């Protein structure tokens, strides 16, 4: 029996040509795997059929939207995960999920390798291959664009010569990756980091400068996960989809950043992630209300590490696994309601309440009813600053 390779298939030009290209270069049968992570666009049935028309021996499609929301987006939300404090890891979160399906299908269909359409310059190649290595160390990874010299020009010629059913729409100057957590746009005129993004780039968000009356939305969380929006119960996927609509209308979640790639390149990236940024803003504030001070402070450091690990393709790593246990444990009291006001590109928290709140009005108030004994502060500060005072005396004496 011929050897087999499972290719992560998007339906686009590169991976469509990649099917025949891989077969010709390696002699392996190619199985196409398309994973729906909420990227929208074409029907998965059309994509499945196109892979067969391009020469795949089998074509598998997986609707992984719920799995993506439950197993990848909710952990990211619990971790308030923002790389470089701003990027909600849109692409970085989908790669380990796709890799998990690649490894599963490879084992089920007796393949010895997997393949993906990434170039050799980005993070996504690392994420696919590092995840596959961690899940199925017996598999090898092949990247036709990177390893088998499949350039875009050659792909166009190959598609024409072989009559592949790919409509070569007018050349899209951007490289776009999208899923239900957001959209990433790079290359084209954006490669000059001085060039401002144009309105045309955006799909999930409307122009935040376009004046609209503000909207309010109340998100209910249970143990760190959104369970209702404006009182209506939602699944994690529904919460993300609803908020993409509500926050996207107000232009929430546009990000323009020069980013440090794992491969050492600085790249200019434009993202839009309305639900992600609205949810993280809400979730983080609910933590401020319900989480004990030292835990809250310590967790903010863990969050940065978590985001870097995931950005760097280490979703299935020992450290990430242990941090997840920590993050999960921090969420036990993160339940309650957050009210957001959406307007002009911003999702602003304007109200918070929780049965498990640590906010004590009687301690916080400056009005009558104050139960905080201010006289205790005097001695507290005396002892708190004692080490500073002692060392300051020593420094004065000894220079
Ligand atoms: N720079 C982002 C990241 O590494 C986005 C990558 C988008 N991928 C793509 N093939 N356009 O997560």
């Amino acid at each position: 029996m011929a050897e087999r390779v499972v290719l992560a298939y998007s339906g686009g030009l590169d991976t469509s040509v990649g099917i025949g290209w891989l077969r010709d270069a390696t002699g392996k049968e190619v199985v196409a795997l398309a994973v729906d992570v909420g990227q929208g666009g074409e029907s998965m049935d059309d994509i499945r059929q196109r892979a067969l028309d391009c020469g795949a021996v089998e074509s598998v499609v997986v609707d992984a939207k719920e799995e993506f929301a439950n197993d990848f987006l909710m952990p990211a939300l619990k971790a308030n995960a923002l790389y470089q404090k701003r990027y909600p890891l849109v692409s970085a979160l989908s790669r380990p999920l796709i890799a998990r399906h690649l490894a599963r299908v490879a084992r089920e269909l007796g393949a010895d390798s997997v393949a993906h359409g990434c170039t050799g310059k980005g993070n996504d190649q690392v994420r696919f291959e590092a995840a596959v290595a961690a899940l199925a160390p017996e598999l090898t990874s092949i990247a036709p664009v990177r390893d088998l010299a499949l350039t875009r020009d050659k792909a166009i010629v190959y598609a024409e010569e072989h009559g592949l059913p790919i409509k070569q729409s007018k050349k899209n100057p951007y490289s776009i990756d999208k899923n239900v957590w957001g959209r990433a746009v790079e290359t084209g005129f954006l490669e000059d980091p001085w060039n401002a993004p144009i309105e045309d780039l955006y799909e999930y968000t409307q122009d935040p400068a376009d004046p609209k009356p503000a909207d309010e939305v109340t998100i209910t969380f249970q143990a760190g996960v959104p369970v209702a929006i404006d009182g209506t119960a939602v699944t994690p996927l529904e919460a993300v989809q609803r908020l993409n609509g509500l926050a996207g209308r107000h232009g929430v979640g546009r990000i323009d950043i020069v980013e440090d790639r794992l491969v050492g390149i600085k790249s200019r990236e434009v993202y839009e992630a309305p639900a992600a940024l609205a949810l993280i803003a809400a979730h983080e504030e609910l933590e401020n209300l319900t989480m004990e001070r030292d835990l809250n402070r310590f967790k903010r450091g863990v969050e940065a590490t978590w985001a870097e690990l995931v950005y760097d393709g280490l979703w299935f790593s020992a450290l990430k696994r242990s941090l997840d246990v920590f993050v999960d444990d921090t969420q036990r009291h993160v339940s309650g309601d957050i009210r957001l006001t959406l307007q002009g590109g911003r999702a602003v928290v304007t109200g918070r309440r929780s049965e498990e709140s640590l906010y004590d009005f009687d301690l916080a108030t400056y009005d009558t009813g104050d139960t905080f004994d201010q006289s205790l502060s005097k001695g507290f500060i005396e002892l708190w600053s004692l080490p500073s005072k002692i060392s300051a005396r020593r420094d004065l004496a000894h220079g």
Side-chain angles (χ1 to χ4, degrees), residues 199-256:
E199 212 39 47
D200 241 27
L201 296 177
Y202 299 106
E203 192 181 298
Y204 289 10
T205 51
Q206 293 177 28
D207 187 351
D210 186 18
K212 285 190 189 92
D215 279 318
E216 277 188 351
V217 59
T218 299
I219 307 170
T220 306
F221 290 87
Q222 188 69 50
V225 169
V227 294
I229 291 183
D230 290 329
T232 305
V234 287
T235 64
L237 177 63
E238 287 165 349
V240 175
Q241 289 169 329
R242 285 279 298 282
L243 284 163
N244 272 335
L246 291 168
R249 215 175 82 75
H250 290 280
V252 171
R254 291 187 176 185
I255 300 147
D256 176 357

Side-chain angles (χ1 to χ4, degrees), residues 87 91-92 95 123-124 127 175-177 184 186 259 261 267 269 271 311:
Y87 166 44
S91 305
R95 288 344 186 226
N123 299 312
D124 290 331
R127 296 169 182 151
S175 165
I176 294 173
D177 184 49
E186 48 193 14
E259 183 177 292
R261 285 191 191 165
S267 69
E269 309 275 339
Y271 301 105
Y311 185 87

Side-chain angles (χ1 to χ4, degrees), residues 49-257:
Q49 186 56 46
R50 183 169 318 129
L52 295 171
D53 296 342
C54 290
V57 292
E58 290 204 40
S59 186
V60 181
V61 301
V62 182
D63 178 354
K65 293 194 289 295
E66 298 276 358
E67 178 190 359
F68 187 45
N70 297 336
D71 296 358
F72 293 83
L73 304 184
M74 292 306 108
L77 176 59
K78 290 178 187 175
N80 297 319
L82 296 171
Y83 179 66
Q84 292 185 314
K85 296 188 178 161
R86 294 181 54 206
Y87 166 44
L89 299 171
V90 173
S91 305
L93 291 166
S94 74
R95 288 344 186 226
L97 173 138
I98 297 169
R100 189 155 84 182
H101 284 284
L102 281 172
R104 174 182 62 77
V105 171
R107 282 183 172 161
E108 284 172 11
L109 299 183
D112 66 352
S113 47
V114 298
H116 58 76
C118 303
T119 72
K121 292 180 71 170
N123 299 312
D124 290 331
Q125 54 172 344
V126 183
R127 296 169 182 151
F128 276 129
E129 295 179 30
V132 169
L135 294 172
E138 76 279 10
L139 297 174
T140 53
S141 290
I142 312 170
V145 173
R146 181 193 66 196
D147 308 337
L148 304 174
L150 175 58
T151 62
R152 190 130 195 121
D153 291 341
K154 286 188 199 160
I156 291 167
V157 172
Y158 187 100
E160 273 167 11
E161 281 179 4
H162 293 76
L164 298 186
I166 307 156
K167 26 182 190 336
Q168 208 17 60
S169 56
K170 61 175 170 10
K171 196 174 174 314
N172 187 334
Y174 311 115
S175 165
I176 294 173
D177 184 49
K178 53 182 175 166
N179 60 53
V180 73
W181 201 231
R183 216 169 140 262
V185 187
E186 48 193 14
T187 73
F189 79 101
L190 294 173
E191 282 178 356
D192 179 345
W194 185 248
N195 285 339
I198 51 172
E199 212 39 47
D200 241 27
L201 296 177
Y202 299 106
E203 192 181 298
Y204 289 10
T205 51
Q206 293 177 28
D207 187 351
D210 186 18
K212 285 190 189 92
D215 279 318
E216 277 188 351
V217 59
T218 299
I219 307 170
T220 306
F221 290 87
Q222 188 69 50
V225 169
V227 294
I229 291 183
D230 290 329
T232 305
V234 287
T235 64
L237 177 63
E238 287 165 349
V240 175
Q241 289 169 329
R242 285 279 298 282
L243 284 163
N244 272 335
L246 291 168
R249 215 175 82 75
H250 290 280
V252 171
R254 291 187 176 185
I255 300 147
D256 176 357
I257 186 175

